Amino acid sequence: MKNDFPYSDDNKHYHSLTYFYKHKFNCKVCKICLNANFSCPNLDGKVGYGGCIYCSKEGSGEFAGNVNDSLSLQFLKGKEMMIRKWPNAKFIAYFQARTNTYAPVNILKSYYEPFINNKDVIGISLATRSDSITDECLNYLEDINKRTFLTVELGLQTIHEKTNKLINRCETLESFETMVKKLRQRNINVVVHIINGLPHETKEMMIETVKYLNKLDINGIKIHMLYILKDTPLEKYYEKTNFKVVSKEEYVDIVVTQLRYLRKEIVIHRLTGDPDPLDLIEPKWLTKKFTILNEIDKIMSKENIYQGDRL
């Protein structure tokens, strides 16, 4: 059957990041994950202590560079690994671990500027929180956006306040929505992170989060599956409550349904997570990432389902 989805060159029935990069930059684009050793306002007491309950000691930067290496060395190591497979690739410097705008602007400049001036780097991506971008930082981000392809990735995870309290998110939906508007007013690309399978959330609740995001002026989304890692508060909560972990079949069904409620222009940056298998407690099926992606493709193709077809 012919694929009529306007943002696809292959069998994908959704707007994949691969498609987006290919048509924007006309080349293979690889992200190099960096660890600049930032802190987080949810760790140091500014808004909370201990961090989100699912967050690892690496601050969700398990696959970022070695924090003991300089950023330039982290980038070089990542680049050398990528060009073995894609010799003509260009790169995005992805500041991944913890909250990557949570510092004075003069420090941010010392981290970001070397990559803006790197001929092999076509963009910078910053993972952060909505409560960690000051007005001065916004002005600087606007300036960066005029010089390179900038993406700001905001963690949301869920719109449900009861869940937010449980996971110790310490951030309001109002703060998130306000920052999305501020960034988009400056024409900065915004990608939002959400997590499926948070404790006690139903499929309907997860779909409500996506429906909410679809009403906002966002450019992309990352959909993660909650995973329980060793030595996290979530591990202790799981041992105490034995809350239901979403099965692979349930997860695929949830994601396929969520995609149907997203505008086709929204770029899908991620559809599952990449836990470190050595630290993973549950769900074990998450280690088979490509099986999950293949199942999503298979169902969407078989049932003739497309991103945004329920809008």
Side-chain angles (χ1 to χ4, degrees), residues 86-225:
W86 299 288
N88 299 314
K90 294 294 184 181
F91 303 97
I92 288 178
Y94 179 27
F95 289 79
Q96 181 186 34
R98 295 201 176 93
T99 306
N100 292 275
T101 57
Y102 190 50
V105 167
N106 65 309
I107 293 177
L108 299 180
K109 286 183 177 180
S110 70
Y111 291 162
Y112 303 163
E113 290 295 325
F115 296 102
I116 296 173
N117 298 320
N118 187 313
K119 63 181 177 58
D120 290 326
V121 176
I122 55 165
I124 290 180
S125 187
L126 307 171
T128 189
R129 290 166 57 105
S130 67
D131 58 6
S132 300
I133 304 176
T134 64
D135 287 342
E136 185 183 6
C137 181
L138 267 174
N139 291 334
Y140 177 47
L141 295 179
E142 184 176 20
D143 173 63
I144 292 175
N145 196 46
K146 294 173 182 175
R147 295 184 284 140
T148 192
F149 180 69
L150 174 65
T151 301
V152 174
E153 300 189 7
L154 295 178
L156 173 65
Q157 320 317 352
T158 178
I159 63 169
H160 301 287
E161 182 60 24
K162 186 175 181 180
T163 308
N164 260 323
K165 289 180 179 177
L166 174 62
I167 64 177
N168 196 42
R169 181 76 186 146
C170 299
E171 187 178 15
T172 67
L173 192 59
E174 181 182 14
S175 168
F176 167 81
E177 189 168 331
T178 298
M179 186 51 63
V180 169
K181 291 176 181 176
K182 286 183 176 181
L183 290 165
R184 293 301 296 135
Q185 285 168 357
R186 296 165 187 253
N187 202 34
I188 296 170
N189 280 269
V190 174
V191 174
V192 180
H193 292 226
I194 64 170
I195 297 177
N196 287 332
L198 289 167
H200 317 302
E201 285 209 349
T202 63
K203 175 183 177 180
E204 290 69 29
M205 293 170 74
M206 298 175 219
I207 293 169
E208 284 171 8
T209 292
V210 161
K211 286 181 176 179
Y212 162 82
L213 284 176
N214 190 63
K215 296 176 183 177
L216 300 186
D217 181 21
I218 65 169
N219 305 92
I221 188 170
K222 283 188 173 181
I223 302 175
H224 298 260
M225 169 60 199

Side-chain angles (χ1 to χ4, degrees), residues 224-240:
H224 298 260
M225 169 60 199
L226 179 74
Y227 43 81
I228 304 165
L229 299 177
K230 295 176 184 175
D231 301 322
T232 61
L234 182 61
E235 177 191 15
K236 294 178 181 177
Y237 185 75
Y238 179 63
E239 290 173 350
K240 179 181 177 181

Side-chain angles (χ1 to χ4, degrees), residues 33-44:
C33 298
L34 305 172
N35 188 338
N37 201 25
F38 282 96
S39 184
C40 176
N42 199 14
L43 281 173
D44 65 12

Side-chain angles (χ1 to χ4, degrees), residues 4-138:
D4 293 321
F5 190 70
Y7 299 101
S8 178
D9 294 326
D10 50 24
N11 68 323
K12 303 293 185 187
H13 285 214
Y14 57 87
H15 193 161
S16 72
L17 184 61
T18 299
Y19 176 93
F20 174 76
Y21 283 157
K22 176 183 175 183
H23 286 264
K24 183 170 182 63
F25 298 108
N26 199 32
C27 67
K28 175 65 180 179
V29 176
C30 301
K31 280 186 173 180
I32 307 291
C33 298
L34 305 172
N35 188 338
N37 201 25
F38 282 96
S39 184
C40 176
N42 199 14
L43 281 173
D44 65 12
K46 183 175 180 180
V47 299
Y49 291 98
C52 300
I53 66 171
Y54 48 76
C55 210
S56 67
K57 56 184 178 294
E58 288 83 10
S60 298
E62 283 80 7
F63 298 98
N66 186 334
V67 72
N68 296 313
D69 292 337
S70 68
L71 288 172
S72 59
L73 182 56
Q74 289 180 41
F75 180 82
L76 182 61
K77 287 181 176 179
K79 175 184 172 182
E80 287 177 346
M81 187 169 58
M82 296 294 185
I83 59 176
R84 291 186 200 127
K85 189 172 183 179
W86 299 288
N88 299 314
K90 294 294 184 181
F91 303 97
I92 288 178
Y94 179 27
F95 289 79
Q96 181 186 34
R98 295 201 176 93
T99 306
N100 292 275
T101 57
Y102 190 50
V105 167
N106 65 309
I107 293 177
L108 299 180
K109 286 183 177 180
S110 70
Y111 291 162
Y112 303 163
E113 290 295 325
F115 296 102
I116 296 173
N117 298 320
N118 187 313
K119 63 181 177 58
D120 290 326
V121 176
I122 55 165
I124 290 180
S125 187
L126 307 171
T128 189
R129 290 166 57 105
S130 67
D131 58 6
S132 300
I133 304 176
T134 64
D135 287 342
E136 185 183 6
C137 181
L138 267 174

